[in-house]
Amino acid sequence: MTQYKIGIVGLGVMGQNLALNMVSKGFSTAGFDLDTGKNQAAAAKFAGKEAATADSLAGLVASLEPPRRILVMVPAGSPVDSVIHDLKPHLQKDDIVIDGGNSFFQDTDRRGKDLESAGVRFIGMGVSGGEEGALHGPALMPGGQEEAYRHVEPILDAIAAKVNGEPCCGYIGKGGAGHYVKMVHNGIEYAIMQLICEAYDLMKTGLGMTAGEMQKVFVQWNQTDMNSYLLEITTAVLGKTDPETGKPIVELILDRAGQKGTGKWTSQNALDLGVAIPTINAALEGRILSAVKNERVAASKILKGPGRDFHGDREALLENLRDALKLATFTAYAQGFSLMREASKEYGYGLHFDEIAKIWRGGCIIRARILDKMRGAFARQADLVNLMTAQEFAPMVNDLNGRLRSIAAVALGLGVPALGICASLGYIDSYRSERMPQNLLQAQRDYFGAHTYERVDKPGKFHTEWMD
Ligand code: 6PG
């Protein structure tokens, strides 16, 4: 009986494409899906290759080389628990289960402990890059038992995207660290997408530009050091015409965003850890506000604002907008890394931020040229508190914050919503403030609740009888 190198449970497009990627790198793969339709579709794609589908979970496990390596590619949440539950009776000591879905990191911790108590090793792995990435090279963020990771490392390195020959894969940390880092990746993804949408809105609403004109602008921007995957797909989206109407498809798409939860988890966790990630939060709120379309339509008939046409220097505005987008996007990464820094301490993950920046340089949705420099900054200074203050980036923050400020001012003046742009600017301005006005807030708390305050001139806790 053929002994396959790796098995995949869940043969949706992601599972199928990862299997095809593995086979193309010389790793024979067996797959199984509870859905016979998906099993058959995968079997047709696997024909003639070193890949096969099994007709049961038991059959899949039996066809694998020990210790078995089984990648689970099913939707996050209860389907993962149910696959693990069904797999468990067929597994032996030292077998390795890898969850490649967008699982919540605390679920991964729980599942890891449960499987480890049965002698089975578990890896929670963030996979980014969508369907194309799965086939041609995703970014991979595996966490869990390190020695288990070493058993799958050759396969993961082989299938991952490469940048200058280096795989976009590396061991992230113990327990749910891999899924944690993927969650933050998605939070940053939300923020960058929101910021690009706000730039688009300023061009479309403020400057009355067509999709074709905006596409040209984004193409130019993407040829600079701002180069990124999300800018690249934005140019492609803006260039796509609807075959039925001949109009740009983007103008026909309803402005109501969906979401599957990873961005929300990032914000929830940042609140739990007490880390400020205002641009990511703003992106989430942007999606939430977009979703109440009916309310907005009704409110638009009642609530008034300024005229939204821009009458100043258009070329100057576009230049400022490019730099504002560059800086605001950078702050989203800075926020994400500062959140991971706190999480690494809180959860004992031992994250290596240069390694994470290295992985994110290719294959994933937030891949961008600037990540190489971030990798360098963290390699030089592993304990860097915030990317904004690094010698590699502080000059850029100082040079461009005036432009971000002027774009925020234009958006505020026109009444074009700019939740993300304003949040990024507020983040920079707060973070660079030696003194914030929360002295007054402390006095207010002490006034109504005797919560006490500290003083600038002597140590200790103090209370004032404010009403005397
Ligand atoms: C990726 C993406 C991927 C998925 C998002 C979409 O890295 O490949 O992040 O994981 O497309 O989860 O998330 P929303 O549906 O919440 O936008």
Side-chain angles (χ1 to χ4, degrees):
M1 186 182 207
T2 313
Q3 297 236 300
Y4 292 92
K5 293 274 178 207
I6 186 162
I8 300 188
V9 180
L11 294 174
V13 185
M14 288 296 289
Q16 269 184 32
N17 284 358
L18 284 169
L20 293 171
N21 187 348
M22 286 168 181
V23 171
S24 76
K25 301 295 181 311
F27 298 99
S28 59
T29 307
F32 172 71
D33 199 298
L34 269 180
D35 177 335
T36 41
K38 282 189 184 155
N39 237 10
Q40 279 163 5
K45 288 208 174 159
F46 293 171
K49 302 189 164 70
E50 263 206 288
T53 55
D55 49 15
S56 68
L57 211 47
L60 174 83
V61 176
S63 72
L64 302 176
E65 174 189 290
R68 284 81 151 245
R69 296 175 274 218
I70 302 168
L71 173 62
V72 179
M73 290 304 300
V74 300
S78 57
V80 178
D81 286 314
S82 119
V83 168
I84 291 175
H85 172 269
D86 294 349
L87 264 176
K88 246 172 124 176
H90 307 291
L91 297 176
Q92 289 169 2
K93 188 171 171 312
D94 290 340
D95 284 348
I96 300 165
V97 176
I98 308 157
D99 171 16
N102 267 334
S103 290
F104 184 55
F105 70 100
Q106 284 171 343
D107 287 341
T108 301
D109 283 330
R110 170 178 58 76
R111 289 172 186 140
K113 285 189 188 120
D114 174 53
L115 283 169
E116 278 163 35
S117 68
V120 173
R121 300 177 283 184
F122 187 57
I123 293 172
M125 180 169 75
V127 177
S128 180
E131 294 168 3
E132 277 299 294
L135 186 60
H136 300 295
L140 300 173
M141 293 150 252
Q145 287 164 296
E146 187 166 359
E147 51 87 34
Y149 164 73
R150 299 296 163 204
H151 280 275
V152 286
E153 189 178 7
I155 304 181
L156 300 183
D157 277 355
I159 64 164
K162 308 284 179 308
V163 175
N164 303 329
E166 287 181 290
C168 297
C169 177
Y171 178 66
I172 299 287
K174 65 177 196 175
H179 279 138
Y180 187 90
V181 168
K182 176 59 176 32
M183 175 189 81
V184 177
H185 164 285
N186 281 26
I188 298 171
E189 170 185 307
Y190 274 44
I192 300 173
M193 291 167 81
Q194 171 73 19
L195 292 166
I196 293 174
C197 290
E198 290 176 15
Y200 155 82
D201 201 11
L202 274 166
M203 285 192 266
K204 177 179 156 58
T205 310
L207 299 179
M209 290 170 68
T210 64
E213 288 166 343
M214 289 185 274
Q215 185 196 28
K216 288 199 185 89
V217 170
F218 279 117
V219 166
Q220 278 171 11
W221 293 357
N222 203 34
Q223 283 161 357
T224 69
D225 58 1
M226 291 168 73
N227 181 275
S228 74
Y229 172 73
L230 283 167
L231 274 182
E232 180 192 318
I233 64 162
T234 303
T235 66
V237 165
L238 289 169
K240 195 85 178 165
T241 306
D242 173 45
E244 263 176 62
T245 61
K247 291 182 181 166
I249 281 196
V250 70
E251 304 303 342
L252 297 166
I253 296 177
L254 188 64
D255 53 337
R256 196 154 63 189
Q259 51 175 311
K260 294 202 200 77
T262 45
K264 184 178 79 176
W265 295 342
T266 310
S267 290
Q268 286 173 326
N269 179 258
L271 291 176
D272 285 344
L273 297 187
V275 179
I277 53 163
T279 312
I280 296 172
N281 294 338
L284 190 68
E285 308 243 32
R287 290 197 190 199
I288 293 169
L289 281 162
S290 83
V292 294
K293 173 81 176 173
N294 295 344
E295 280 183 51
R296 289 189 288 114
V297 170
S300 71
K301 307 207 166 38
I302 302 166
L303 304 175
K304 303 293 166 212
R308 287 181 165 173
D309 302 332
F310 178 76
H311 295 294
D313 181 338
R314 297 168 68 89
E315 283 309 310
L317 181 80
L318 286 175
E319 272 187 28
N320 284 346
L321 190 55
R322 177 197 61 214
D323 289 345
L325 180 60
K326 176 174 165 176
L327 178 54
T329 299
F330 168 71
T331 71
Y333 287 102
Q335 292 164 39
F337 275 102
S338 95
L339 175 57
M340 290 190 291
R341 183 171 181 272
E342 196 55 37
S344 187
K345 282 191 269 171
E346 178 71 22
Y347 306 126
Y349 286 153
L351 300 180
H352 295 282
F353 303 111
D354 56 338
E355 183 73 2
I356 294 169
K358 181 203 100 173
I359 294 171
W360 286 354
R361 290 180 312 155
C364 68
I365 304 295
I366 64 168
R367 63 186 184 255
R369 198 173 290 168
I370 198 169
L371 277 153
D372 214 26
K373 211 166 167 186
M374 293 184 198
R375 178 195 192 184
F378 283 117
R380 187 181 54 75
Q381 196 186 343
D383 61 350
L384 181 61
V385 175
N386 191 299
L387 275 172
M388 289 195 295
T389 58
Q391 71 187 38
E392 289 83 352
F393 295 108
M396 175 184 77
V397 178
N398 290 335
D399 285 351
L400 301 188
N401 86 68
R403 291 182 166 215
L404 178 57
R405 198 172 304 288
S406 88
I407 287 300
V410 168
L412 293 171
L414 297 176
V416 174
L419 290 166
I421 286 172
C422 294
S424 298
L425 186 59
Y427 182 67
I428 297 170
D429 282 341
S430 299
Y431 199 74
R432 65 182 189 84
S433 292
E434 186 185 339
R435 208 195 127 268
M436 288 179 69
Q438 275 67 16
N439 50 330
L440 175 59
L441 184 140
Q442 284 295 82
Q444 292 163 334
R445 291 178 68 238
D446 191 54
Y447 186 108
F448 61 66
H451 293 298
T452 74
Y453 54 85
E454 293 169 290
R455 292 177 62 111
V456 293
D457 54 353
K458 49 185 173 184
K461 295 261 184 217
F462 298 89
H463 170 63
T464 295
E465 290 302 325
W466 297 96
M467 277 164 281
D468 282 356

